[in-house]
Amino acid sequence: MNMPLDPSVATPLSDLVSPPAGSPMWQRNFLFGAGTSSYQIEGAAHEDGRLESIWDRFCNTPGKVLRGENGDVACDHYHRFEEDLDLLQRMGVDAYRFSIAWPRVMDEAGRPNARGIDFYKRLIDGLHRRGMKAFVTLYHWDLPQHLEERGGWLSREIAYRFADYAELMSRELSGGVAAWTTHNEPWCSAYLGYGDGHHAPGHKNVRWAAQAMHHLLLGHGLALPALRANEPKALVGLVANCAPGYAATDSASDRDAAHLFETFQNTWVLDPLFKGEYPKDLWRLWKGAEPLVLAGDMDKIAQPMDYLGINYYSRALLRSPEADKFEWVRDPAVERTSMDWEVYPQGLQDLFEKLHRDYPNLPALYVTENGMSSHDSVQDGEVDDRQRQAYLKAHFAACTRAMQNGVKVDGYFIWSLLDNFEWAFGYERRFGLVHVDFETQKRTLKKSALAYSDFLGRRIG
Ligand code: FCB
């Protein structure tokens, strides 16, 4: 006699990635997805009126990106998005997180570019036809170059241009978006873009980084009312890349180094949003770098949000080389990915529980990015990415523990749907659930994607 199937029972395939039995992540109301961003996948850099972005300019500046690669073609998603939506559907995700390329949708005078906007309308329609939700990021780093020439995020005016862009897109896409994200990782835009120069536009001045951060956050605050007015049913939030800092020894100075790291990496973004102020200890690291803040700015920045997205990849281990400084320590015992990032799932639980303790007004959390890069290749039509399978399983378990200890987490997006253009590292670092052959544009679901799909189909409720 055939026994009725219990859908929540893991098979050998789903067990490669699935959360522990009894985890709230097995419930169907916990949202699962995969993510990408415009510059990393779209290609079609010169089509349908798209303007140059700071990343086009940066990539074409010798020495900035590994092997001089760029996003001109990337995954050619602009032309192949239907095929990519089919992959998402085949995986069985609930939602897709992607970003809009600002240079595609507005001209230099700030007028709408209908052809560019139409691409995102077709993308969202395609998602809905397949029963998936759209999580849309407005700014995943591809600032129009002409705005950089007006000062970029150093200029207060850009925060207002960003709010205009948010207003336009939320009006054009009204009714189609489940969740808006203003910024993806303002820390990267501000620090890597203006402080250490590893990202576009490549400036190296921490005073500028602090000012750019302020204008990014102000832009977020200015955009919120328009997003809420144009799309009242959508969630509105911001995505931050956070990492817990651990002291290498128990000395007071190393503990202070860990605190300073978290100030720099986490609270620089989160304190303004949830406390309406910059963390004072940041200015111990960067003396005299306080940004110019005008009356009323912090109230705009600290308006309530519906959710906070956290991109979690790894932790930091720290020591103090001298007062008011921190230095990374390398732990040779810990497993690493091909980015040379530590695999440290416990950090996700520790981080979430700390955010929950530190911010009484913390909204629901989403893991908006988690995943890893590895040297994946197709062998006999298959990609057996074992390290990624184990990575996802361990991080799902860590998220489960945080939820069981009272942290509200509503969803989880794997970074990334596709192998793609990994910024200054070009195409060498493969983060995808789906392998992309960049010569032929052939997509192959890695074993992690097949396991994820099997798990998603077995959820309860
Ligand atoms: C994050 C970015 C994302 C991707 C991953 C690996 O910082 O948001 O675009 O590059 O890292």
Side-chain angles (χ1 to χ4, degrees):
M1 193 182 84
N2 283 338
M3 295 293 287
L5 279 177
D6 176 350
S8 65
V9 173
T11 62
L13 182 59
S14 69
D15 191 47
L16 295 173
V17 301
S18 59
S23 165
M25 294 171 76
W26 277 96
Q27 304 291 326
R28 268 189 193 278
N29 63 1
F30 187 91
L31 186 131
F32 276 100
T36 62
S37 86
S38 48
Y39 191 73
Q40 295 181 277
I41 64 162
E42 284 180 0
H46 308 289
E47 274 174 61
D48 293 340
R50 179 186 178 279
L51 304 178
E52 187 186 16
S53 80
I54 54 172
W55 271 92
D56 298 295
R57 182 66 63 95
F58 193 69
C59 292
N60 292 327
T61 309
K64 299 297 186 191
V65 174
L66 210 63
R67 299 190 297 245
E69 291 171 336
N70 61 47
D72 281 1
V73 177
C75 305
D76 196 31
H77 172 78
Y78 193 75
H79 300 116
R80 296 169 194 262
F81 74 92
E82 293 280 2
E83 178 188 351
D84 293 337
L85 295 181
D86 286 345
L87 291 170
L88 284 163
Q89 186 180 30
R90 180 158 162 218
M91 268 189 240
V93 296
D94 309 303
Y96 174 45
R97 174 176 181 256
F98 64 91
S99 76
I100 296 173
W102 186 352
R104 258 191 217 293
V105 296
M106 283 177 123
D107 73 7
E108 289 208 15
R111 286 179 303 237
N113 172 21
R115 287 176 296 166
I117 295 171
D118 189 55
F119 169 69
Y120 298 103
K121 289 188 173 165
R122 286 184 283 130
L123 183 65
I124 290 174
D125 280 354
L127 277 169
H128 292 166
R129 272 189 276 112
R130 293 168 178 84
M132 291 179 282
K133 294 189 160 94
F135 272 56
V136 183
T137 301
L138 286 162
Y139 190 71
H140 202 126
W141 310 351
D142 39 3
L143 185 74
Q145 177 65 27
H146 68 93
L147 294 180
E148 171 61 18
E149 273 144 35
R150 294 171 77 107
W153 291 106
L154 291 175
S155 158
R156 194 175 167 90
E157 186 210 337
I158 304 305
Y160 287 84
R161 298 287 75 80
F162 177 74
D164 293 344
Y165 160 54
E167 198 286 322
L168 171 70
M169 292 316 298
S170 52
R171 184 158 32 86
E172 290 282 351
L173 304 181
S174 179
V177 174
W180 286 102
T181 296
T182 52
H183 288 297
N184 176 69
E185 304 189 351
W187 183 91
C188 291
S189 302
Y191 184 70
L192 301 180
Y194 291 82
D196 80 0
H198 281 105
H199 279 186
H203 301 305
K204 296 183 188 171
N205 178 325
V206 290
R207 168 81 184 77
W208 288 10
Q211 192 65 57
M213 175 66 89
H214 184 63
H215 292 151
L216 284 152
L217 294 176
L218 178 63
H220 158 84
L222 293 170
L224 289 183
L227 295 173
R228 291 206 184 280
N230 288 340
E231 187 97 270
K233 290 208 191 108
L235 305 177
V236 178
L238 176 143
V239 165
N241 54 317
C242 294
Y246 299 89
T249 74
D250 205 28
S251 72
S253 56
D254 285 356
R255 280 188 278 120
D256 187 52
H259 163 72
L260 283 175
F261 167 81
E262 290 193 349
T263 306
F264 159 71
Q265 182 72 55
N266 305 340
T267 52
W268 183 18
V269 177
L270 300 182
D271 276 11
L273 293 170
F274 298 114
K275 294 184 174 171
E277 61 187 25
Y278 287 100
K280 294 198 177 44
D281 284 347
L282 191 59
W283 321 122
R284 280 171 53 202
L285 274 176
W286 300 331
K287 299 201 172 56
E290 290 91 336
L292 178 66
V293 175
L294 300 192
D297 285 2
M298 300 313 287
D299 290 342
K300 293 191 180 78
I301 292 171
Q303 291 167 84
M305 298 192 285
D306 302 319
Y307 73 94
L308 173 69
I310 294 290
N311 295 350
Y312 177 79
Y313 289 96
S314 195
R315 68 150 178 183
L317 186 64
L318 303 136
R319 64 177 285 275
S320 170
E322 57 183 283
D324 299 334
K325 293 223 167 6
F326 64 80
E327 193 173 84
W328 290 66
V329 176
R330 194 175 169 92
D331 183 343
V334 179
E335 179 191 344
R336 284 169 188 271
T337 72
S338 80
M339 288 295 275
D340 203 30
W341 293 350
E342 280 189 8
V343 176
Y344 203 82
Q346 180 59 38
L348 177 64
Q349 179 187 354
D350 293 347
L351 173 70
F352 275 11
E353 291 180 3
K354 186 164 201 303
L355 298 180
H356 180 67
R357 280 195 304 275
D358 288 355
Y359 299 109
N361 53 346
L362 190 74
L365 298 178
Y366 282 80
V367 177
T368 31
E369 290 181 23
N370 176 241
M372 54 155 286
S373 72
S374 47
H375 298 292
D376 302 318
S377 60
V378 184
Q379 310 286 342
D380 300 327
E382 290 179 4
V383 184
D384 193 3
D385 53 346
R386 299 208 177 159
Q387 197 188 9
R388 180 171 297 98
Q389 296 153 29
Y391 180 101
L392 294 178
K393 189 174 176 77
H395 286 79
F396 287 171
C399 183
T400 297
R401 294 193 296 275
M403 291 174 78
Q404 286 166 341
N405 290 340
V407 183
K408 181 166 164 49
V409 188
D410 283 355
Y412 206 118
F413 291 80
I414 310 297
W415 185 270
S416 175
L417 170 63
L418 302 168
D419 290 341
N420 61 47
F421 176 75
E422 179 48 36
W423 308 111
F425 297 99
Y427 293 94
E428 213 216 9
R429 311 291 160 94
R430 294 180 173 274
F431 273 92
L433 289 165
V434 176
H435 181 276
V436 178
D437 178 331
F438 293 106
E439 299 286 310
T440 62
Q441 292 294 346
K442 183 172 164 37
R443 276 83 161 129
T444 307
L445 269 76
K446 300 179 191 177
K447 195 158 178 189
S448 57
L450 300 172
Y452 188 38
S453 168
D454 194 30
F455 154 63
L456 293 176
R458 289 175 180 279
R459 288 175 295 165
I460 319 158

